[in-house]
Amino acid sequence: MDLEKPPTGDVRRTAYTEERGGEGCLTVAIRLPVRIVALVLVVPVRMAWDALVAAGGFLGRTVFRPLGRAVGWLARAVFVWPFVGLWRYVVVPLAKAAGWLGLLLVVRPVRWVYRWVLSPAGHALAWCWARLVVPVGDALWAAGTWLARYLLVRPLQWAYRWVLTPVGHALAWCGRGVAWCVRTVVAGIAWAVSWVVRVLLVWPALALWRWVLAPVGRVLAVVGREAGDALGHAWRIAGRISLAVGRFLGTLLRWIFVEPVRWVYRTVLTPVGHVVRDAVLRPAAAAARGTGRAVRQAFASARESVRQVRADVRRALFGAPPPARPVRRPVDRREPSGAEARTLGRSTTALTKD
């Protein structure tokens, strides 16, 4: 299918038609009805579309754009300008007045009270603290320290040295003796219990393990190992037998079913399929390809006809398009670099030799 538009102009159209070569009779026969259908259907639809586009552009320029400007101006007048005026002429002056009143009624009185009342009072309290409270506190601390040392600490030291220490040593000696007695009694009881447990439990269990359980376990281990080996040999022999039976059944199935089906497919179905392919399918495919090629050519011719009709209608309604003017490219007047100069020199030399 040809998706490119042919060049405009009579001479170019003639050259384009000559380049396409000869066309079939089916294409020539379909061309005129397709052009008539394009003239009856496509051209009115395109004209209606162009009219709608022009009407839309006219409405946009004359109605929607001025309406948008009016709506934008109304929105600014209703929503933006009142808030701007409120902020500029109400909120800002009130904030400045509130700041000035706060400075005049709060900050300056507080600063004056701090400078002339609180600061002198604080200095007076600091002087009283340094000159009166601190010496009195030091004297009271020294007196309390001396009284605590001679009325509490010294008696407690004497009681600890001459009363509590001897009593503690005596109690510690008694505790060590009691602990030795208790340790001796517990050790004797533990020795007796250990001998009883050893005689009544450990030695019978050891004899039972050594003379009964160990021999019986060895016998059971031998019996289990032999049984496992026997089962393994039986499993392998059964696998060989199963493999032989499976091969026999596979061979029997192949000779009864597979080989006859293969022979039928090879000697009957394959020649029949080749005959059907050569006699029916390939001619049908060739006919389908020829039909598709003819249909594509018909569609291409119809599309070409539609393009020509549209170009003729556009030329009849709006006139021929102005000729294209050649675009002059700016000349690069910068100095060539070293690589460009070498390339230019080689090309000049080659042209001179030619």
Side-chain angles (χ1 to χ4, degrees):
M1 298 175 65
D2 189 6
L3 299 179
E4 297 182 357
K5 294 184 178 180
T8 58
D10 296 334
V11 179
R12 296 181 180 179
R13 187 182 297 110
T14 304
Y16 180 75
T17 307
E18 291 177 357
E19 288 178 1
R20 293 184 60 183
E23 296 176 346
C25 59
L26 182 62
T27 304
V28 176
I30 291 176
R31 178 178 298 169
L32 184 60
V34 168
R35 289 187 178 183
I36 295 173
V37 171
L39 184 63
V40 173
L41 297 178
V42 177
V43 174
V45 172
R46 179 56 187 269
M47 292 178 65
W49 173 256
D50 292 336
L52 289 176
V53 171
F58 176 75
L59 290 176
R61 289 191 301 270
T62 58
V63 178
F64 296 116
R65 192 174 298 172
L67 182 62
R69 292 195 184 98
V71 171
W73 183 86
L74 182 62
R76 286 196 300 272
V78 173
F79 296 103
V80 178
W81 293 345
F83 289 103
V84 171
L86 180 65
W87 172 263
R88 183 177 298 172
Y89 299 107
V90 178
V91 176
V92 173
L94 287 178
K96 291 181 179 179
W100 182 78
L101 290 176
L103 178 64
L104 185 63
L105 298 178
V106 178
V107 177
R108 289 184 179 179
V110 169
R111 186 185 298 172
W112 183 87
V113 169
Y114 176 78
R115 180 178 296 175
W116 301 106
V117 177
L118 297 179
S119 182
H123 288 296
L125 291 176
W127 184 85
C128 292
W129 175 268
R131 298 301 176 87
L132 297 178
V133 177
V134 173
V136 172
D138 292 338
L140 291 176
W141 177 260
T145 303
W146 186 84
L147 291 175
R149 179 183 299 174
Y150 287 99
L151 295 179
L152 186 62
V153 176
R154 293 294 176 85
L156 289 178
Q157 288 180 353
W158 181 84
Y160 176 77
R161 182 178 297 175
W162 302 106
V163 178
L164 296 178
T165 301
V167 172
H169 287 299
L171 291 176
W173 183 79
C174 294
R176 285 195 296 271
V178 172
W180 178 82
C181 294
V182 172
R183 188 168 57 251
T184 303
V185 171
V186 170
I189 294 172
W191 179 78
V193 170
S194 66
W195 267 100
V196 170
V197 171
R198 184 181 300 175
V199 172
L200 296 180
L201 296 177
V202 177
W203 288 351
L206 183 61
L208 179 63
W209 171 262
R210 182 175 296 174
W211 304 107
V212 178
L213 296 179
V216 173
R218 294 191 186 95
V219 173
L220 292 178
V222 172
V223 172
R225 184 172 62 252
E226 294 299 329
D229 294 339
L231 288 175
H233 287 293
W235 183 264
R236 287 190 290 273
I237 293 171
R240 297 294 179 87
I241 295 173
S242 177
L243 180 62
V245 173
R247 289 178 179 175
F248 172 74
L249 293 178
T251 304
L252 185 63
L253 180 64
R254 186 175 66 253
W255 285 105
I256 292 176
F257 181 74
V258 177
E259 291 296 335
V261 171
R262 182 184 296 175
W263 180 84
V264 170
Y265 176 79
R266 183 180 300 170
T267 58
V268 178
L269 297 180
T270 300
V272 171
H274 289 172
V275 171
V276 171
R277 182 189 62 189
D278 297 334
V280 179
L281 296 180
R282 285 182 177 175
R289 285 194 295 271
T291 305
R293 191 179 300 108
V295 170
R296 285 195 297 272
Q297 291 178 359
F299 276 111
S301 176
R303 187 168 55 255
E304 176 64 23
S305 302
V306 169
R307 289 174 180 172
Q308 292 180 3
V309 170
R310 187 172 58 188
D312 295 337
V313 171
R314 186 183 297 112
R315 189 180 299 106
L317 293 177
F318 303 103
R325 296 181 178 179
V327 179
R328 297 181 62 185
R329 295 183 178 179
V331 180
D332 189 5
R333 297 182 177 180
R334 61 183 180 84
E335 293 295 332
S337 60
E340 295 177 353
R342 288 194 295 272
T343 306
L344 184 60
R346 294 195 192 97
S347 58
T348 306
T349 305
L351 290 174
T352 305
K353 291 180 179 179
D354 293 339

